[in-house]
Amino acid sequence: MPKRILIAGGGYVGLYTALQLQKNMQPGEVEVTVVNPENFMVYRPLLPEVASGTLEPRHAVVPLRAVLRKSRFVSGTLTGLDVERRVATVQPPAGPTREFEYDELVLGLGATSKLLPIPGLVDHGIGFNSLAEAAYLRDHVLGQLELAHATNDPELRRCALTFVFVGGGYTGVEAIAELQDMAVDVLEGYPGLDPAEMRWILIEAMDRILGTVSDDLAELATTELTARGIDIRTGTLLESAENGRLQLSDGTKLTTDTLVWVAGTRPQSILGELGLPVDERGRVVVDDTLRVNGHANIWSAGDCAAVPDLVKGGTCPPSAQYAVRQARQLGDNLLRTVRGQAVKSFRYRSRGEFVTLGKNKAVAEVLGCKINGSLAWTLRRAYYATQIPMLNRTVRVLGDWLIGMPFGHDVVDFGSREEPRGAFRRAAGKR
Ligand SMILES: Cc1cc2nc3c(=O)[nH]c(=O)nc-3n(C[C@H](O)[C@H](O)[C@H](O)COP(=O)(O)OP(=O)(O)OC[C@H]3O[C@@H](n4cnc5c(N)ncnc54)[C@H](O)[C@@H]3O)c2cc1C
């Protein structure tokens, strides 16, 4: 009988674990099932470019059914676990829940936005974790430019042209940098709108942005962004966002329709309900072989797991770079377990980091070398294009980038995607 391996989550961990299994498994050895709410894996490091429109949203994802040819894909969400019976409960997109028996279970559920109890944040903010959020923000920013151009109300115009991002980690920095770059680029198409009228504000609680990269690199990024007019407020907190009126801890008051919350992530809350050991941050506690503590046949990795970092100490950072390597190790350890062999520890030393800051602009630290400008930007693109595990997607991404080179950013705002049935309802006389 083949061993049943159930993988919950089809992101970096889920996809790369399944690919590693597909690559090395013998016929009839294991039966792999991947459960994920969407039938695609989001290539999250490309989301900032989806937000600026330099990449088509569809091109920044990997279609799971197309790459998981030797596995079974099920669209659904893990909702419960019976570790004694080795049964996982899965909620499909509709209808009753289903039960899946497993011999080995992998949890790769990733993370979601970490919210703080700030008045008005939930009603007025948006995260930057998903494809939908990135695509929405592009349309939203273009919509705000349209509004500012069309209105003759100075307050409305000022509000529309104020864009606030909270969180100066690489996600926040990349998001604000790409979107501001796009907005400045398209502005010549809006006669009467002056770039100086736009306010792009990045709020960070710590005393510097890009806390995970070296001081030099953070300094380079700060200089670049500040020179472009992005107002970076370090040591500052968002205190309130009620009715879109922001109150900052430095006393500033702002009115805006654009509040992007990128101040950290937390593991999916379901993890705390599965009866597995979790740490103070809600991550599943695993040993250095990626096995969940106290559970011989449950494994986890990526953003939802506290994976010991054998190189630097502590736990591994939540990054795609680590998640991919952990997943490959996890795939190998699963096969070793099935074959009765000893499993191996996960050990990885980061090779560097890229931070995109817009078209032709990036900072990077690669193998100890600090690079910035168009060289860093080109290296980043080359790196990500070659990392996508599907030729079809690599070609599409390269195609988008190549076609975008000689042209400016596209100004088309698909705002109607927010309310796709609106016209149909209005045709029926409904609002
Ligand atoms: C905007 C952005 C930019 C980034 N840029 C970089 C970068 O440049 N470099 C880098 O190294 N890292 C980057 N990261 C971080 C990187 O994307 C994550 O560390 C990585 O995705 C973690 O992989 P994962 O498999 O743990 O989670 P994910 O890739 O998020 O996958 C988790 C999957 O689990 C699914 N899921 C959730 N709940 C359930 C459930 N109950 N049942 C079933 N499935 C479920 C989700 O839908 C998702 O498909 C970035 C992240 C973001 C958001």
Side-chain angles (χ1 to χ4, degrees), residues 28-267:
E29 193 174 28
V30 292
E31 202 179 81
V32 182
T33 302
V34 178
V35 175
N36 195 62
E38 306 87 21
N39 71 355
F40 54 82
M41 174 265 195
V42 182
Y43 220 81
R44 289 181 212 280
L46 298 179
L47 286 183
E49 290 176 73
V50 170
S52 65
T54 43
L55 268 187
E56 275 299 312
R58 259 184 321 121
H59 298 171
V61 305
V62 179
L64 292 173
R65 287 188 185 278
V67 286
L68 298 178
R69 294 269 189 223
K70 295 189 207 163
S71 309
R72 178 166 62 138
F73 172 75
V74 177
S75 180
T77 308
L78 177 80
T79 54
L81 205 57
D82 184 334
V83 291
E84 298 302 322
R85 288 170 53 228
R86 296 192 178 186
V87 168
T89 310
V90 170
Q91 176 62 63
T97 56
R98 288 181 62 189
E99 291 198 333
F100 287 82
E101 291 180 15
Y102 59 83
D103 296 302
E104 305 291 334
L105 173 70
V106 176
L107 298 171
L109 306 183
T112 184
S113 293
K114 183 172 75 188
L115 295 189
L116 295 179
I118 295 171
L121 175 60
V122 175
D123 294 330
H124 295 282
I126 182 168
F128 196 79
N129 259 325
S130 68
L131 194 67
E133 287 166 335
Y136 166 84
L137 271 171
R138 174 186 176 275
D139 290 344
H140 172 77
V141 168
L142 292 171
Q144 295 299 102
L145 298 186
E146 292 296 343
L147 169 58
H149 183 254
T151 185
N152 53 15
D153 178 333
E155 261 184 49
L156 198 55
R157 179 166 163 136
R158 192 163 167 75
C159 169
L161 293 177
T162 301
F163 305 95
V164 180
F165 290 63
V166 185
Y170 62 82
T171 307
V173 168
E174 291 192 335
I176 195 170
E178 283 282 342
L179 279 158
Q180 189 258 5
D181 195 48
M182 172 190 79
V184 170
D185 193 32
V186 300
L187 217 60
E188 64 178 15
Y190 297 81
L193 283 193
D194 182 346
E197 272 186 273
M198 289 199 294
R199 290 188 298 173
W200 290 84
I201 302 165
L202 179 62
I203 299 167
E204 166 57 46
M206 311 292 277
D207 58 3
R208 57 165 263 199
I209 58 166
L210 294 173
T212 57
V213 304
S214 68
D215 287 351
D216 299 358
L217 218 59
E219 191 61 44
L220 276 174
T222 305
T223 308
E224 157 74 27
L225 297 181
T226 309
R228 278 162 48 182
I230 296 179
D231 178 0
I232 301 177
R233 311 252 180 124
T234 50
T236 308
L237 302 171
L238 172 67
E239 291 184 337
S240 168
E242 269 178 313
N243 304 317
R245 292 194 185 87
L246 310 194
Q247 169 76 53
L248 309 187
S249 60
D250 63 4
T252 308
K253 289 186 168 66
L254 302 158
T255 307
T256 180
D257 280 337
T258 314
L259 172 61
V260 185
W261 181 259
V262 265
T265 57
R266 63 163 178 79

